Amino acid sequence: MFAGVEVKDKVFIVSLMDNTRTVKAIFKFYKEGFLWFLDHYNPEIVAVNYDFGVSSKLSLTNKAYSNLYKEIIQDFEYRPVDKKSFREKERRIFKSNTDEFWKKIIRKEILPADTPEGLEQRLYNLPKTGIRLNRRLLSQDKKFIGKELDAVVLSFAAYSFYNNKFETIDHEGGIWIIPRYIYVPKKDRETDGSTSEQVV
């Protein structure tokens, strides 16, 4: 299983994806629950957003989370990805940038995720990647849906890293692993009918 982790306020949003690009679950945890998840679900690869645990608006309340990336490495024996270790695929953790991937698949101005138009833009374009997401997994609380979709993209980044379908972007302090965008024609997308339900 491949895990993508996004943070909203004090809530950790986790998407779990299998090797068929199917999102199996989306969870929400506080910090203790998230650490329990890592211990019990033991995902092979964990991808987090570049600003994982840090929020400019809530920098004081989230200060305790800013070192969680290092805590995962130390306590759960995940190893960070660097340019010398792309071939090693077991128990890895890395940072990605969901905005970079949304730019690739939307290819025009990206509307804010906290608007109905921005959510619909993401939901409409996501299937083009071959990601299989049952919209029933998404929250009924619209303030979380944008971050849940980011978590899905991060789990896809973990999948893409494992399957050597990724690109890297250098940034201050290291690299971001970004899924390589390969367009999947509509006839090749597997749907179960629930993917077309309106959410926004």
Side-chain angles (χ1 to χ4, degrees), residues 100-133:
E100 292 295 327
F101 190 65
W102 288 121
K103 289 176 192 173
K104 287 175 184 243
I105 65 174
I106 293 175
R107 298 187 179 194
K108 58 183 177 181
E109 181 186 357
I110 301 174
L111 302 173
D114 58 357
T115 65
E117 297 80 9
L119 287 177
E120 190 55 45
Q121 191 181 51
R122 287 160 175 78
L123 288 164
Y124 173 78
N125 285 282
L126 198 63
K128 297 176 183 179
T129 65
I131 292 173
R132 299 178 178 114
L133 171 64

PDB file of all heavy atoms in Angstrom, residues 100-133:
ATOM      1  N   GLU A 100       2.269  21.287  -8.113  1.00  0.00           N
ATOM      2  CA  GLU A 100       2.993  21.001  -9.358  1.00  0.00           C
ATOM      3  C   GLU A 100       2.263  19.951 -10.189  1.00  0.00           C
ATOM      4  O   GLU A 100       2.235  20.023 -11.416  1.00  0.00           O
ATOM      5  CB  GLU A 100       4.417  20.534  -9.045  1.00  0.00           C
ATOM      6  CG  GLU A 100       5.321  21.602  -8.458  1.00  0.00           C
ATOM      7  CD  GLU A 100       5.593  22.739  -9.435  1.00  0.00           C
ATOM      8  OE1 GLU A 100       5.652  22.480 -10.656  1.00  0.00           O
ATOM      9  OE2 GLU A 100       5.739  23.887  -8.975  1.00  0.00           O
ATOM     10  N   PHE A 101       1.675  18.960  -9.526  1.00  0.00           N
ATOM     11  CA  PHE A 101       0.958  17.926 -10.278  1.00  0.00           C
ATOM     12  C   PHE A 101      -0.378  18.432 -10.802  1.00  0.00           C
ATOM     13  O   PHE A 101      -0.751  18.140 -11.940  1.00  0.00           O
ATOM     14  CB  PHE A 101       0.752  16.678  -9.412  1.00  0.00           C
ATOM     15  CG  PHE A 101       0.228  15.512 -10.210  1.00  0.00           C
ATOM     16  CD1 PHE A 101       1.008  14.938 -11.206  1.00  0.00           C
ATOM     17  CD2 PHE A 101      -1.034  14.995  -9.985  1.00  0.00           C
ATOM     18  CE1 PHE A 101       0.537  13.866 -11.963  1.00  0.00           C
ATOM     19  CE2 PHE A 101      -1.508  13.922 -10.736  1.00  0.00           C
ATOM     20  CZ  PHE A 101      -0.732  13.358 -11.717  1.00  0.00           C
ATOM     21  N   TRP A 102      -1.096  19.218  -9.990  1.00  0.00           N
ATOM     22  CA  TRP A 102      -2.356  19.780 -10.496  1.00  0.00           C
ATOM     23  C   TRP A 102      -2.108  20.636 -11.738  1.00  0.00           C
ATOM     24  O   TRP A 102      -2.890  20.616 -12.686  1.00  0.00           O
ATOM     25  CB  TRP A 102      -3.041  20.623  -9.408  1.00  0.00           C
ATOM     26  CG  TRP A 102      -3.638  19.830  -8.278  1.00  0.00           C
ATOM     27  CD1 TRP A 102      -3.334  19.933  -6.958  1.00  0.00           C
ATOM     28  CD2 TRP A 102      -4.649  18.815  -8.368  1.00  0.00           C
ATOM     29  NE1 TRP A 102      -4.083  19.044  -6.225  1.00  0.00           N
ATOM     30  CE2 TRP A 102      -4.905  18.343  -7.057  1.00  0.00           C
ATOM     31  CE3 TRP A 102      -5.363  18.254  -9.429  1.00  0.00           C
ATOM     32  CZ2 TRP A 102      -5.836  17.349  -6.780  1.00  0.00           C
ATOM     33  CZ3 TRP A 102      -6.293  17.254  -9.153  1.00  0.00           C
ATOM     34  CH2 TRP A 102      -6.521  16.812  -7.848  1.00  0.00           C
ATOM     35  N   LYS A 103      -0.995  21.377 -11.765  1.00  0.00           N
ATOM     36  CA  LYS A 103      -0.666  22.181 -12.949  1.00  0.00           C
ATOM     37  C   LYS A 103      -0.517  21.310 -14.179  1.00  0.00           C
ATOM     38  O   LYS A 103      -0.898  21.700 -15.289  1.00  0.00           O
ATOM     39  CB  LYS A 103       0.640  22.951 -12.727  1.00  0.00           C
ATOM     40  CG  LYS A 103       0.548  24.097 -11.742  1.00  0.00           C
ATOM     41  CD  LYS A 103       1.926  24.718 -11.545  1.00  0.00           C
ATOM     42  CE  LYS A 103       1.947  25.669 -10.372  1.00  0.00           C
ATOM     43  NZ  LYS A 103       3.314  26.148 -10.074  1.00  0.00           N
ATOM     44  N   LYS A 104       0.058  20.125 -14.005  1.00  0.00           N
ATOM     45  CA  LYS A 104       0.280  19.234 -15.144  1.00  0.00           C
ATOM     46  C   LYS A 104      -1.032  18.725 -15.736  1.00  0.00           C
ATOM     47  O   LYS A 104      -1.161  18.599 -16.950  1.00  0.00           O
ATOM     48  CB  LYS A 104       1.100  18.005 -14.710  1.00  0.00           C
ATOM     49  CG  LYS A 104       2.558  18.263 -14.436  1.00  0.00           C
ATOM     50  CD  LYS A 104       3.179  16.975 -13.912  1.00  0.00           C
ATOM     51  CE  LYS A 104       4.617  17.198 -13.523  1.00  0.00           C
ATOM     52  NZ  LYS A 104       5.530  16.419 -14.327  1.00  0.00           N
ATOM     53  N   ILE A 105      -1.999  18.387 -14.854  1.00  0.00           N
ATOM     54  CA  ILE A 105      -3.203  17.741 -15.386  1.00  0.00           C
ATOM     55  C   ILE A 105      -4.320  18.738 -15.708  1.00  0.00           C
ATOM     56  O   ILE A 105      -5.161  18.462 -16.550  1.00  0.00           O
ATOM     57  CB  ILE A 105      -3.724  16.635 -14.445  1.00  0.00           C
ATOM     58  CG1 ILE A 105      -4.194  17.186 -13.103  1.00  0.00           C
ATOM     59  CG2 ILE A 105      -2.667  15.575 -14.226  1.00  0.00           C
ATOM     60  CD1 ILE A 105      -4.853  16.130 -12.215  1.00  0.00           C
ATOM     61  N   ILE A 106      -4.315  19.909 -15.069  1.00  0.00           N
ATOM     62  CA  ILE A 106      -5.372  20.889 -15.342  1.00  0.00           C
ATOM     63  C   ILE A 106      -4.991  21.787 -16.510  1.00  0.00           C
ATOM     64  O   ILE A 106      -5.826  22.158 -17.332  1.00  0.00           O
ATOM     65  CB  ILE A 106      -5.691  21.695 -14.064  1.00  0.00           C
ATOM     66  CG1 ILE A 106      -6.339  20.756 -13.032  1.00  0.00           C
ATOM     67  CG2 ILE A 106      -6.607  22.875 -14.379  1.00  0.00           C
ATOM     68  CD1 ILE A 106      -6.607  21.374 -11.681  1.00  0.00           C
ATOM     69  N   ARG A 107      -3.726  22.167 -16.612  1.00  0.00           N
ATOM     70  CA  ARG A 107      -3.178  22.898 -17.769  1.00  0.00           C
ATOM     71  C   ARG A 107      -3.853  24.231 -18.053  1.00  0.00           C
ATOM     72  O   ARG A 107      -3.937  24.669 -19.197  1.00  0.00           O
ATOM     73  CB  ARG A 107      -3.206  22.012 -19.019  1.00  0.00           C
ATOM     74  CG  ARG A 107      -2.354  20.779 -18.855  1.00  0.00           C
ATOM     75  CD  ARG A 107      -2.233  20.002 -20.124  1.00  0.00           C
ATOM     76  NE  ARG A 107      -1.385  18.845 -19.917  1.00  0.00           N
ATOM     77  CZ  ARG A 107      -0.879  18.116 -20.880  1.00  0.00           C
ATOM     78  NH1 ARG A 107      -1.124  18.435 -22.133  1.00  0.00           N
ATOM     79  NH2 ARG A 107      -0.134  17.074 -20.626  1.00  0.00           N
ATOM     80  N   LYS A 108      -4.413  24.831 -17.062  1.00  0.00           N
ATOM     81  CA  LYS A 108      -4.904  26.210 -17.157  1.00  0.00           C
ATOM     82  C   LYS A 108      -4.934  26.746 -15.745  1.00  0.00           C
ATOM     83  O   LYS A 108      -4.466  26.080 -14.818  1.00  0.00           O
ATOM     84  CB  LYS A 108      -6.270  26.273 -17.830  1.00  0.00           C
ATOM     85  CG  LYS A 108      -7.354  25.467 -17.171  1.00  0.00           C
ATOM     86  CD  LYS A 108      -8.635  25.557 -17.986  1.00  0.00           C
ATOM     87  CE  LYS A 108      -9.733  24.693 -17.381  1.00  0.00           C
ATOM     88  NZ  LYS A 108     -10.977  24.744 -18.161  1.00  0.00           N
ATOM     89  N   GLU A 109      -5.474  27.930 -15.564  1.00  0.00           N
ATOM     90  CA  GLU A 109      -5.467  28.508 -14.221  1.00  0.00           C
ATOM     91  C   GLU A 109      -6.135  27.573 -13.230  1.00  0.00           C
ATOM     92  O   GLU A 109      -7.256  27.098 -13.444  1.00  0.00           O
ATOM     93  CB  GLU A 109      -6.199  29.853 -14.232  1.00  0.00           C
ATOM     94  CG  GLU A 109      -6.208  30.525 -12.870  1.00  0.00           C
ATOM     95  CD  GLU A 109      -7.057  31.781 -12.858  1.00  0.00           C
ATOM     96  OE1 GLU A 109      -7.591  32.162 -13.910  1.00  0.00           O
ATOM     97  OE2 GLU A 109      -7.179  32.374 -11.768  1.00  0.00           O
ATOM     98  N   ILE A 110      -5.432  27.278 -12.136  1.00  0.00           N
ATOM     99  CA  ILE A 110      -5.978  26.390 -11.116  1.00  0.00           C
ATOM    100  C   ILE A 110      -6.776  27.234 -10.133  1.00  0.00           C
ATOM    101  O   ILE A 110      -6.243  28.151  -9.501  1.00  0.00           O
ATOM    102  CB  ILE A 110      -4.848  25.631 -10.386  1.00  0.00           C
ATOM    103  CG1 ILE A 110      -4.043  24.824 -11.390  1.00  0.00           C
ATOM    104  CG2 ILE A 110      -5.421  24.723  -9.307  1.00  0.00           C
ATOM    105  CD1 ILE A 110      -2.819  24.167 -10.801  1.00  0.00           C
ATOM    106  N   LEU A 111      -8.044  26.913 -10.032  1.00  0.00           N
ATOM    107  CA  LEU A 111      -8.912  27.669  -9.128  1.00  0.00           C
ATOM    108  C   LEU A 111      -8.721  27.172  -7.693  1.00  0.00           C
ATOM    109  O   LEU A 111      -8.328  26.024  -7.475  1.00  0.00           O
ATOM    110  CB  LEU A 111     -10.368  27.497  -9.570  1.00  0.00           C
ATOM    111  CG  LEU A 111     -10.650  27.954 -11.014  1.00  0.00           C
ATOM    112  CD1 LEU A 111     -12.055  27.593 -11.427  1.00  0.00           C
ATOM    113  CD2 LEU A 111     -10.410  29.455 -11.152  1.00  0.00           C
ATOM    114  N   PRO A 112      -8.979  28.015  -6.693  1.00  0.00           N
ATOM    115  CA  PRO A 112      -8.763  27.603  -5.300  1.00  0.00           C
ATOM    116  C   PRO A 112      -9.581  26.367  -4.935  1.00  0.00           C
ATOM    117  O   PRO A 112     -10.756  26.240  -5.320  1.00  0.00           O
ATOM    118  CB  PRO A 112      -9.220  28.828  -4.502  1.00  0.00           C
ATOM    119  CG  PRO A 112      -9.111  29.974  -5.450  1.00  0.00           C
ATOM    120  CD  PRO A 112      -9.422  29.415  -6.806  1.00  0.00           C
ATOM    121  N   ALA A 113      -8.970  25.458  -4.189  1.00  0.00           N
ATOM    122  CA  ALA A 113      -9.622  24.197  -3.827  1.00  0.00           C
ATOM    123  C   ALA A 113     -10.768  24.395  -2.846  1.00  0.00           C
ATOM    124  O   ALA A 113     -11.588  23.496  -2.658  1.00  0.00           O
ATOM    125  CB  ALA A 113      -8.599  23.234  -3.243  1.00  0.00           C
ATOM    126  N   ASP A 114     -10.848  25.575  -2.217  1.00  0.00           N
ATOM    127  CA  ASP A 114     -11.926  25.793  -1.260  1.00  0.00           C
ATOM    128  C   ASP A 114     -13.147  26.443  -1.914  1.00  0.00           C
ATOM    129  O   ASP A 114     -14.035  26.950  -1.237  1.00  0.00           O
ATOM    130  CB  ASP A 114     -11.440  26.639  -0.074  1.00  0.00           C
ATOM    131  CG  ASP A 114     -10.885  27.996  -0.492  1.00  0.00           C
ATOM    132  OD1 ASP A 114     -10.817  28.267  -1.718  1.00  0.00           O
ATOM    133  OD2 ASP A 114     -10.504  28.783   0.391  1.00  0.00           O
ATOM    134  N   THR A 115     -13.196  26.408  -3.266  1.00  0.00           N
ATOM    135  CA  THR A 115     -14.367  26.889  -3.986  1.00  0.00           C
ATOM    136  C   THR A 115     -15.001  25.710  -4.729  1.00  0.00           C
ATOM    137  O   THR A 115     -14.312  24.749  -5.089  1.00  0.00           O
ATOM    138  CB  THR A 115     -13.993  27.966  -5.023  1.00  0.00           C
ATOM    139  OG1 THR A 115     -13.156  27.379  -6.045  1.00  0.00           O
ATOM    140  CG2 THR A 115     -13.237  29.115  -4.365  1.00  0.00           C
ATOM    141  N   PRO A 116     -16.319  25.758  -4.969  1.00  0.00           N
ATOM    142  CA  PRO A 116     -16.964  24.678  -5.735  1.00  0.00           C
ATOM    143  C   PRO A 116     -16.330  24.487  -7.115  1.00  0.00           C
ATOM    144  O   PRO A 116     -16.143  23.363  -7.576  1.00  0.00           O
ATOM    145  CB  PRO A 116     -18.421  25.143  -5.846  1.00  0.00           C
ATOM    146  CG  PRO A 116     -18.624  26.034  -4.665  1.00  0.00           C
ATOM    147  CD  PRO A 116     -17.301  26.731  -4.461  1.00  0.00           C
ATOM    148  N   GLU A 117     -15.957  25.602  -7.754  1.00  0.00           N
ATOM    149  CA  GLU A 117     -15.354  25.510  -9.084  1.00  0.00           C
ATOM    150  C   GLU A 117     -13.973  24.837  -9.026  1.00  0.00           C
ATOM    151  O   GLU A 117     -13.625  24.041  -9.895  1.00  0.00           O
ATOM    152  CB  GLU A 117     -15.232  26.901  -9.705  1.00  0.00           C
ATOM    153  CG  GLU A 117     -16.555  27.610  -9.957  1.00  0.00           C
ATOM    154  CD  GLU A 117     -17.149  28.266  -8.704  1.00  0.00           C
ATOM    155  OE1 GLU A 117     -16.468  28.324  -7.668  1.00  0.00           O
ATOM    156  OE2 GLU A 117     -18.317  28.705  -8.784  1.00  0.00           O
ATOM    157  N   GLY A 118     -13.207  25.177  -7.997  1.00  0.00           N
ATOM    158  CA  GLY A 118     -11.886  24.570  -7.850  1.00  0.00           C
ATOM    159  C   GLY A 118     -11.965  23.079  -7.572  1.00  0.00           C
ATOM    160  O   GLY A 118     -11.175  22.287  -8.103  1.00  0.00           O
ATOM    161  N   LEU A 119     -12.925  22.685  -6.739  1.00  0.00           N
ATOM    162  CA  LEU A 119     -13.099  21.255  -6.466  1.00  0.00           C
ATOM    163  C   LEU A 119     -13.539  20.512  -7.722  1.00  0.00           C
ATOM    164  O   LEU A 119     -13.032  19.430  -8.031  1.00  0.00           O
ATOM    165  CB  LEU A 119     -14.137  21.053  -5.353  1.00  0.00           C
ATOM    166  CG  LEU A 119     -13.691  21.408  -3.937  1.00  0.00           C
ATOM    167  CD1 LEU A 119     -14.843  21.228  -2.962  1.00  0.00           C
ATOM    168  CD2 LEU A 119     -12.504  20.543  -3.523  1.00  0.00           C
ATOM    169  N   GLU A 120     -14.490  21.079  -8.450  1.00  0.00           N
ATOM    170  CA  GLU A 120     -14.967  20.412  -9.668  1.00  0.00           C
ATOM    171  C   GLU A 120     -13.851  20.308 -10.694  1.00  0.00           C
ATOM    172  O   GLU A 120     -13.731  19.291 -11.393  1.00  0.00           O
ATOM    173  CB  GLU A 120     -16.165  21.183 -10.253  1.00  0.00           C
ATOM    174  CG  GLU A 120     -16.864  20.423 -11.377  1.00  0.00           C
ATOM    175  CD  GLU A 120     -17.311  19.028 -10.964  1.00  0.00           C
ATOM    176  OE1 GLU A 120     -17.871  18.852  -9.878  1.00  0.00           O
ATOM    177  OE2 GLU A 120     -17.063  18.089 -11.760  1.00  0.00           O
ATOM    178  N   GLN A 121     -13.019  21.323 -10.780  1.00  0.00           N
ATOM    179  CA  GLN A 121     -11.871  21.294 -11.692  1.00  0.00           C
ATOM    180  C   GLN A 121     -10.960  20.108 -11.363  1.00  0.00           C
ATOM    181  O   GLN A 121     -10.524  19.375 -12.260  1.00  0.00           O
ATOM    182  CB  GLN A 121     -11.113  22.621 -11.550  1.00  0.00           C
ATOM    183  CG  GLN A 121     -10.054  22.866 -12.584  1.00  0.00           C
ATOM    184  CD  GLN A 121      -9.363  24.206 -12.332  1.00  0.00           C
ATOM    185  OE1 GLN A 121      -8.914  24.476 -11.216  1.00  0.00           O
ATOM    186  NE2 GLN A 121      -9.280  25.030 -13.365  1.00  0.00           N
ATOM    187  N   ARG A 122     -10.692  19.884 -10.094  1.00  0.00           N
ATOM    188  CA  ARG A 122      -9.825  18.774  -9.673  1.00  0.00           C
ATOM    189  C   ARG A 122     -10.509  17.423  -9.891  1.00  0.00           C
ATOM    190  O   ARG A 122      -9.897  16.480 -10.381  1.00  0.00           O
ATOM    191  CB  ARG A 122      -9.431  18.957  -8.204  1.00  0.00           C
ATOM    192  CG  ARG A 122      -8.422  20.083  -7.990  1.00  0.00           C
ATOM    193  CD  ARG A 122      -8.420  20.568  -6.546  1.00  0.00           C
ATOM    194  NE  ARG A 122      -7.379  21.570  -6.307  1.00  0.00           N
ATOM    195  CZ  ARG A 122      -7.476  22.843  -6.663  1.00  0.00           C
ATOM    196  NH1 ARG A 122      -8.552  23.293  -7.289  1.00  0.00           N
ATOM    197  NH2 ARG A 122      -6.480  23.684  -6.405  1.00  0.00           N
ATOM    198  N   LEU A 123     -11.787  17.341  -9.513  1.00  0.00           N
ATOM    199  CA  LEU A 123     -12.509  16.073  -9.652  1.00  0.00           C
ATOM    200  C   LEU A 123     -12.682  15.687 -11.117  1.00  0.00           C
ATOM    201  O   LEU A 123     -12.644  14.501 -11.459  1.00  0.00           O
ATOM    202  CB  LEU A 123     -13.876  16.186  -8.966  1.00  0.00           C
ATOM    203  CG  LEU A 123     -13.840  16.222  -7.436  1.00  0.00           C
ATOM    204  CD1 LEU A 123     -15.172  16.717  -6.885  1.00  0.00           C
ATOM    205  CD2 LEU A 123     -13.499  14.855  -6.885  1.00  0.00           C
ATOM    206  N   TYR A 124     -12.859  16.662 -11.986  1.00  0.00           N
ATOM    207  CA  TYR A 124     -13.026  16.384 -13.411  1.00  0.00           C
ATOM    208  C   TYR A 124     -11.729  15.876 -14.031  1.00  0.00           C
ATOM    209  O   TYR A 124     -11.738  14.972 -14.876  1.00  0.00           O
ATOM    210  CB  TYR A 124     -13.485  17.662 -14.133  1.00  0.00           C
ATOM    211  CG  TYR A 124     -13.525  17.521 -15.633  1.00  0.00           C
ATOM    212  CD1 TYR A 124     -14.577  16.858 -16.264  1.00  0.00           C
ATOM    213  CD2 TYR A 124     -12.488  18.027 -16.424  1.00  0.00           C
ATOM    214  CE1 TYR A 124     -14.597  16.702 -17.646  1.00  0.00           C
ATOM    215  CE2 TYR A 124     -12.505  17.874 -17.803  1.00  0.00           C
ATOM    216  CZ  TYR A 124     -13.558  17.211 -18.407  1.00  0.00           C
ATOM    217  OH  TYR A 124     -13.578  17.055 -19.762  1.00  0.00           O
ATOM    218  N   ASN A 125     -10.600  16.458 -13.622  1.00  0.00           N
ATOM    219  CA  ASN A 125      -9.326  16.128 -14.258  1.00  0.00           C
ATOM    220  C   ASN A 125      -8.619  14.913 -13.656  1.00  0.00           C
ATOM    221  O   ASN A 125      -7.817  14.272 -14.330  1.00  0.00           O
ATOM    222  CB  ASN A 125      -8.384  17.332 -14.209  1.00  0.00           C
ATOM    223  CG  ASN A 125      -8.770  18.398 -15.223  1.00  0.00           C
ATOM    224  OD1 ASN A 125      -8.492  18.281 -16.398  1.00  0.00           O
ATOM    225  ND2 ASN A 125      -9.457  19.434 -14.758  1.00  0.00           N
ATOM    226  N   LEU A 126      -8.913  14.580 -12.411  1.00  0.00           N
ATOM    227  CA  LEU A 126      -8.198  13.492 -11.739  1.00  0.00           C
ATOM    228  C   LEU A 126      -8.290  12.147 -12.479  1.00  0.00           C
ATOM    229  O   LEU A 126      -7.282  11.443 -12.598  1.00  0.00           O
ATOM    230  CB  LEU A 126      -8.711  13.352 -10.304  1.00  0.00           C
ATOM    231  CG  LEU A 126      -7.802  12.589  -9.346  1.00  0.00           C
ATOM    232  CD1 LEU A 126      -6.462  13.303  -9.167  1.00  0.00           C
ATOM    233  CD2 LEU A 126      -8.484  12.427  -7.988  1.00  0.00           C
ATOM    234  N   PRO A 127      -9.455  11.752 -13.022  1.00  0.00           N
ATOM    235  CA  PRO A 127      -9.526  10.460 -13.713  1.00  0.00           C
ATOM    236  C   PRO A 127      -8.602  10.353 -14.926  1.00  0.00           C
ATOM    237  O   PRO A 127      -8.254   9.232 -15.343  1.00  0.00           O
ATOM    238  CB  PRO A 127     -10.998  10.368 -14.136  1.00  0.00           C
ATOM    239  CG  PRO A 127     -11.722  11.255 -13.180  1.00  0.00           C
ATOM    240  CD  PRO A 127     -10.777  12.381 -12.884  1.00  0.00           C
ATOM    241  N   LYS A 128      -8.181  11.476 -15.494  1.00  0.00           N
ATOM    242  CA  LYS A 128      -7.284  11.442 -16.651  1.00  0.00           C
ATOM    243  C   LYS A 128      -5.942  10.786 -16.321  1.00  0.00           C
ATOM    244  O   LYS A 128      -5.208  10.388 -17.210  1.00  0.00           O
ATOM    245  CB  LYS A 128      -7.027  12.864 -17.174  1.00  0.00           C
ATOM    246  CG  LYS A 128      -8.264  13.572 -17.691  1.00  0.00           C
ATOM    247  CD  LYS A 128      -7.914  14.994 -18.097  1.00  0.00           C
ATOM    248  CE  LYS A 128      -9.132  15.769 -18.546  1.00  0.00           C
ATOM    249  NZ  LYS A 128      -8.791  17.156 -18.917  1.00  0.00           N
ATOM    250  N   THR A 129      -5.630  10.686 -15.045  1.00  0.00           N
ATOM    251  CA  THR A 129      -4.362  10.097 -14.610  1.00  0.00           C
ATOM    252  C   THR A 129      -4.450   8.584 -14.452  1.00  0.00           C
ATOM    253  O   THR A 129      -3.446   7.919 -14.238  1.00  0.00           O
ATOM    254  CB  THR A 129      -3.946  10.682 -13.255  1.00  0.00           C
ATOM    255  OG1 THR A 129      -4.910  10.285 -12.269  1.00  0.00           O
ATOM    256  CG2 THR A 129      -3.873  12.200 -13.311  1.00  0.00           C
ATOM    257  N   GLY A 130      -5.679   8.036 -14.504  1.00  0.00           N
ATOM    258  CA  GLY A 130      -5.868   6.617 -14.241  1.00  0.00           C
ATOM    259  C   GLY A 130      -6.128   6.317 -12.783  1.00  0.00           C
ATOM    260  O   GLY A 130      -6.339   5.165 -12.397  1.00  0.00           O
ATOM    261  N   ILE A 131      -6.139   7.358 -11.927  1.00  0.00           N
ATOM    262  CA  ILE A 131      -6.469   7.160 -10.516  1.00  0.00           C
ATOM    263  C   ILE A 131      -7.936   6.771 -10.412  1.00  0.00           C
ATOM    264  O   ILE A 131      -8.805   7.388 -11.026  1.00  0.00           O
ATOM    265  CB  ILE A 131      -6.202   8.442  -9.704  1.00  0.00           C
ATOM    266  CG1 ILE A 131      -4.692   8.732  -9.643  1.00  0.00           C
ATOM    267  CG2 ILE A 131      -6.776   8.321  -8.294  1.00  0.00           C
ATOM    268  CD1 ILE A 131      -4.352  10.067  -9.016  1.00  0.00           C
ATOM    269  N   ARG A 132      -8.201   5.731  -9.633  1.00  0.00           N
ATOM    270  CA  ARG A 132      -9.571   5.253  -9.424  1.00  0.00           C
ATOM    271  C   ARG A 132     -10.028   5.692  -8.030  1.00  0.00           C
ATOM    272  O   ARG A 132      -9.554   5.164  -7.025  1.00  0.00           O
ATOM    273  CB  ARG A 132      -9.625   3.740  -9.571  1.00  0.00           C
ATOM    274  CG  ARG A 132      -9.203   3.281 -10.961  1.00  0.00           C
ATOM    275  CD  ARG A 132      -9.206   1.770 -11.070  1.00  0.00           C
ATOM    276  NE  ARG A 132      -8.837   1.374 -12.417  1.00  0.00           N
ATOM    277  CZ  ARG A 132      -7.724   0.724 -12.719  1.00  0.00           C
ATOM    278  NH1 ARG A 132      -6.879   0.380 -11.768  1.00  0.00           N
ATOM    279  NH2 ARG A 132      -7.457   0.395 -13.963  1.00  0.00           N
ATOM    280  N   LEU A 133     -10.911   6.653  -8.008  1.00  0.00           N
ATOM    281  CA  LEU A 133     -11.392   7.203  -6.744  1.00  0.00           C
ATOM    282  C   LEU A 133     -12.904   7.125  -6.697  1.00  0.00           C
ATOM    283  O   LEU A 133     -13.595   7.728  -7.522  1.00  0.00           O
ATOM    284  CB  LEU A 133     -10.941   8.668  -6.594  1.00  0.00           C
ATOM    285  CG  LEU A 133     -11.555   9.433  -5.425  1.00  0.00           C
ATOM    286  CD1 LEU A 133     -11.136   8.826  -4.086  1.00  0.00           C
ATOM    287  CD2 LEU A 133     -11.184  10.910  -5.492  1.00  0.00           C
TER     288      LEU A 133
END
